[in-house]
């Protein structure tokens, strides 16, 4: 199975000047854990995740003053739609993150998350005993 089969194609794109509270509200409303941060001044892509926001708030920073720019990961590992889900899962495990921006030749086309991968893999194992279910 490929990344294109599991990725979310409706993604949230925000600018670097959005506050963390604005980003959190938009992410919460869409029930997603990451936003692509597009900086038109640098033509660069970054990612802001729920973990980035949580770390900022946990450090006592004001989410109404802190901006995405200050908390965006810019050293991003990108996936291609043709990657296998195994390739994506290995990249996530190796890098210690839960989201990959998916790029084609023209820019971002989606995001794939650990949850997206699990949703695709779980039905393949439907015939196996489910965790937490006792065999009779």
């Amino acid at each position: 199975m490929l990344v294109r089969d599991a990725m979310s194609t409706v993604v949230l794109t925000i600018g670097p000047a959005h506050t963390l509270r604005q980003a959190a509200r938009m992410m919460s409303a869409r029930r997603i854990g990451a936003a692509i941060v597009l900086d038109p001044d640098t033509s660069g892509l970054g990612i802001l995740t729920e973990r980035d926001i949580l770390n900022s708030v946990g450090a006592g920073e004001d989410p109404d003053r802190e901006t995405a720019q200050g908390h965006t990961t810019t050293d991003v590992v990108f996936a291609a739609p043709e990657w296998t889900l195994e390739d994506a899962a290995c990249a996530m495990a190796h890098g210690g993150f839960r989201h990959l921006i998916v790029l084609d030749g023209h820019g971002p086309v989606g995001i794939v998350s650990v949850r997206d991968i699990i949703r695709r893999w779980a039905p393949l194992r439907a015939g196996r005993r489910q965790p937490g279910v006792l065999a009779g």
Side-chain angles (χ1 to χ4, degrees):
M1 190 162 298
L2 302 178
V3 165
R4 76 166 46 95
D5 302 320
M7 70 183 189
S8 299
T9 57
V10 177
V11 297
L12 174 62
T13 302
I14 63 173
H18 279 89
T19 68
L20 294 186
R21 184 176 309 279
Q22 290 170 323
R25 281 185 180 143
M26 289 184 279
M27 290 164 60
S28 178
R30 289 167 178 82
R31 300 183 52 129
I32 58 173
I36 294 176
V37 181
L38 180 59
D39 188 344
D41 293 334
T42 65
S43 298
L45 289 177
I47 191 165
L48 180 72
T49 68
E50 57 200 356
R51 184 182 302 172
D52 298 324
I53 296 169
L54 183 66
N55 287 340
S56 176
V57 171
E61 296 174 336
D62 183 350
D64 291 314
R65 293 184 184 263
E66 294 297 315
T67 61
Q69 182 176 17
H71 299 277
T72 296
T73 301
T74 56
D75 184 20
V76 180
V77 175
F78 298 101
E82 299 79 25
W83 279 20
T84 66
L85 293 185
E86 290 83 5
D87 291 337
C90 286
M92 290 177 190
H94 180 73
F97 45 81
R98 297 176 291 166
H99 301 87
L100 286 168
I101 298 173
V102 183
L103 296 180
D104 71 1
H106 305 290
V109 293
I111 291 182
V112 65
S113 69
V114 170
R115 182 177 293 164
D116 295 327
I117 294 171
I118 291 170
R119 284 181 181 152
R120 288 296 178 157
W121 281 348
L124 299 175
R125 288 148 178 78
R128 298 183 185 173
R129 185 180 73 80
Q130 299 296 310
V133 177
L134 299 175

